């Protein structure tokens, strides 16, 4: 019932204050089913609206992660317990970042980043992205795992992995991201706009920080994206792509931007944006 109501809040983009209050009471009860249900209600409410979450709720959900990891043997059941909590933690205020990072340390994050469950990979990458700027040391230990997710078939996993790595590059530099060059050719083959956004946002961050990095860039594929349907109605993605190509042209080879580049840039500021990316599944 909690999951159904949570989905309803996401689909209608409405939040029921009484349900939110009920969710907060549920997560404070020492019952794993009630805590999971409370998180399944609370996560969508946080996605849709600005809801203040108290330290007691964070503490209860952190305990839920720890106890699930210790006491639940079934992987499917464990994942079922934790996915709603991860979604809550991706949306809480930065004031709780340290507590969220501590919870990440107790969870089998690497396993969840590589599970065959697409939603789990997406929400786990999103969780790491949520604290990448405030707790970079915690996220840095999963750098290679996030790099591998750039070529993920699940668009939300690739999107949030790229954004997490971009945040990490801002905080700790681009040197640890060198293995990305081995993944880029395949990652850039995607035709999914969300997945491509994650890859290109990482690219522009790295290229701006270290122009020498462009020597390893599969520039022909990046240039070809100007005519891809995947970027046609995505102004943000188009602007990041234009910035990446512009940086390459400035530091390496001006011919990469070609005759059609001014038209591409002009189209970027006049295009009608597509609908928002799909909302997360709690």
């Amino acid at each position: 019932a909690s999951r159904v109501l949570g989905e309803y809040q996401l689909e209608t983009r409405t939040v029921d204050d009484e349900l939110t209050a009920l969710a907060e009471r549920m997560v404070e009860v020492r019952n794993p089913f009630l805590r999971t249900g409370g998180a399944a209600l609370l996560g969508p409410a946080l996605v849709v609206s600005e809801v203040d979450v108290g330290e007691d709720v964070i503490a209860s959900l952190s305990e839920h992660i720890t106890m699930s990891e210790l006491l639940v043997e079934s992987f499917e059941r464990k994942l079922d317990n934790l996915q709603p909590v991860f979604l809550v933690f991706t949306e809480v205020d930065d004031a709780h970042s340290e507590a969220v990072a501590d919870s990440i340390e107790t969870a089998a994050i690497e396993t969840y980043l590589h599970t065959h469950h697409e939603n789990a990979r997406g929400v786990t990458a999103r969780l790491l992205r949520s604290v990448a700027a405030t707790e970079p040391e915690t996220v840095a230990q999963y750098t290679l795992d996030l790099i591998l997710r750039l070529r993920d078939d699940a668009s939300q996993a690739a999107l949030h992995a790229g954004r997490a790595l971009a945040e990490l590059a801002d905080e700790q530099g681009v040197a640890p991201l060198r293995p990305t060059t081995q993944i880029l050719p395949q990652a850039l083959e995607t035709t999914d706009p969300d997945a491509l956004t994650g890859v290109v946002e990482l690219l522009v961050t790295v290229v701006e920080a270290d122009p020498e990095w462009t020597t390893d860039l599969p520039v022909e594929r990046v240039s070809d994206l100007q005519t891809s349907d995947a970027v046609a109605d995505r102004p943000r993605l188009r602007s990041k792509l234009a910035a990446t190509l512009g940086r390459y042209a400035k530091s390496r080879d001006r011919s990469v931007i070609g005759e059609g580049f001014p038209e591409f840039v002009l189209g970027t500021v006049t295009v009608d944006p597509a609908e928002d990316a799909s909302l997360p599944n709690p």
Side-chain angles (χ1 to χ4, degrees), residues 4 13 18 45 49 60 68 79 98-99 109 112 132 157 185 193 215 222-223 249:
V4 171
R13 302 193 69 81
E18 291 186 4
S49 179
S60 294
S68 295
L79 198 59
E98 185 175 352
I109 294 296
Y112 304 136
T215 57
V222 178
S223 182

Side-chain angles (χ1 to χ4, degrees), residues 124-143:
T124 305
R126 181 174 178 155
L127 174 64
L128 292 174
R129 177 209 169 188
S130 71
V131 295
T134 53
E135 303 291 334
E137 295 82 6
T138 297
V139 179
Q141 60 190 308
Y142 303 106
T143 298

